[in-house]
Short mmCIF file of all heavy atoms in Angstrom, two decimals:
data_model
loop_
_atom_site.label_atom_id
_atom_site.label_comp_id
_atom_site.label_asym_id
_atom_site.label_seq_id
_atom_site.Cartn_x
_atom_site.Cartn_y
_atom_site.Cartn_z
N SER Z 19 7.97 12.51 9.13
CA SER Z 19 8.60 11.62 10.10
C SER Z 19 7.64 10.60 10.72
O SER Z 19 8.10 9.59 11.27
CB SER Z 19 9.28 12.43 11.21
OG SER Z 19 8.31 13.16 11.95
N GLU Z 55 14.41 17.71 -3.65
CA GLU Z 55 15.65 16.93 -3.77
C GLU Z 55 15.65 15.77 -2.77
O GLU Z 55 16.03 14.65 -3.12
CB GLU Z 55 16.87 17.83 -3.55
CG GLU Z 55 17.11 18.79 -4.70
CD GLU Z 55 18.19 19.82 -4.40
OE1 GLU Z 55 18.73 19.86 -3.27
OE2 GLU Z 55 18.48 20.62 -5.32
N THR Z 100 -9.75 17.80 -19.37
CA THR Z 100 -9.43 16.66 -20.23
C THR Z 100 -8.96 17.10 -21.61
O THR Z 100 -8.37 16.30 -22.33
CB THR Z 100 -10.64 15.71 -20.36
OG1 THR Z 100 -11.74 16.44 -20.89
CG2 THR Z 100 -11.01 15.11 -19.02
#
Side-chain angles (χ1 to χ4, degrees):
S19 64
E55 289 172 356
T100 58

